[in-house]
Amino acid sequence: MDRGEEVVRQLYGRWRGPLHGYVLRLVGGDHQQAEDVVQETLLRAWKHADELTPDDAGPWLYTVARNLVISGFRKRSGRNSEVPIEPADLPPVADQVDHVLQSWQIAEALRALTPDHRSVVVELYYRRRTVKEAAAVLGVPQGTVKSRCFYALRALRDALEERGVTES
């Protein structure tokens, strides 16, 4: 058995029950839908087995599952609206956990970009520079900034979709 299979077995044994209960509340008691979301979450965990450990995977798994539920809700409803989740439906976690998890996932996705693409995204979106200002800071033409931004955002979107942060 390879390491990925072993990690997924451990994740399944440890997190399947709590994750299923969490998702079941999010999908209004639909056991089949909850099971589908849990299975998809564990499939994505298998794809990231080299990055996950069973003891620390909980936040990652819960975030992926929540995002899969939201993505499924949007697809079924045909519009981009929020999943109606009552605060009582959420598992007891510290305030701002979603924000911290999302920030962590965005930081991970940014690290996956090439240095040139990452620097353009940082200048334009984090430092809120104009294209002209970013071009001056980076020492490249404005057209290069625009091009790098286009490809960086595409790569960032793909990396976040892979992590279950945005709808696919």
Side-chain angles (χ1 to χ4, degrees):
M1 177 182 323
D2 71 8
R3 183 192 180 315
E5 288 179 30
E6 180 59 29
V7 168
V8 171
R9 283 186 197 279
Q10 290 176 9
L11 289 172
Y12 187 87
R14 174 148 187 204
W15 295 104
R16 188 216 164 270
L19 197 57
H20 187 269
Y22 170 71
V23 173
L24 190 61
R25 288 188 300 275
L26 294 179
V27 298
D30 183 338
H31 286 277
Q32 186 59 51
Q33 186 180 2
E35 189 60 35
D36 290 346
V37 169
V38 170
Q39 291 302 320
E40 178 63 24
T41 301
L42 291 170
L43 174 65
R44 290 184 185 199
W46 174 69
K47 291 178 181 178
H48 294 275
D50 57 328
E51 304 165 25
L52 298 171
T53 61
D55 292 335
D56 300 324
W60 189 91
L61 292 168
Y62 279 97
T63 299
V64 169
R66 179 178 179 272
N67 288 327
L68 286 169
V69 170
I70 291 170
S71 178
F73 178 80
R74 287 178 178 159
K75 286 177 184 171
R76 280 190 313 280
S77 67
R79 62 184 193 279
N80 283 339
S81 58
E82 293 294 325
V83 176
I85 300 174
E86 296 298 321
D89 293 337
L90 298 174
V93 291
D95 291 342
Q96 303 296 320
V97 145
D98 282 340
H99 177 71
V100 169
L101 288 173
Q102 191 174 40
S103 296
W104 170 73
Q105 289 174 327
I106 291 171
E108 288 292 313
L110 275 171
R111 279 194 279 282
L113 297 178
T114 66
D116 287 339
H117 288 160
R118 184 175 42 249
S119 63
V120 166
V121 170
V122 168
E123 293 301 322
L124 293 174
Y125 293 96
Y126 285 94
R127 295 194 176 128
R128 301 208 181 269
R129 297 188 197 277
T130 65
V131 170
K132 183 177 180 179
E133 292 169 338
V137 168
L138 297 171
V140 297
Q142 291 180 37
T144 301
V145 170
K146 291 176 185 178
S147 174
R148 286 180 184 173
C149 180
F150 173 81
Y151 289 108
L153 291 178
R154 181 189 295 176
L156 190 58
R157 183 192 68 228
D158 291 345
L160 291 171
E161 282 179 356
E162 185 177 293
R163 288 168 172 78
V165 176
T166 61
E167 62 180 286
S168 35

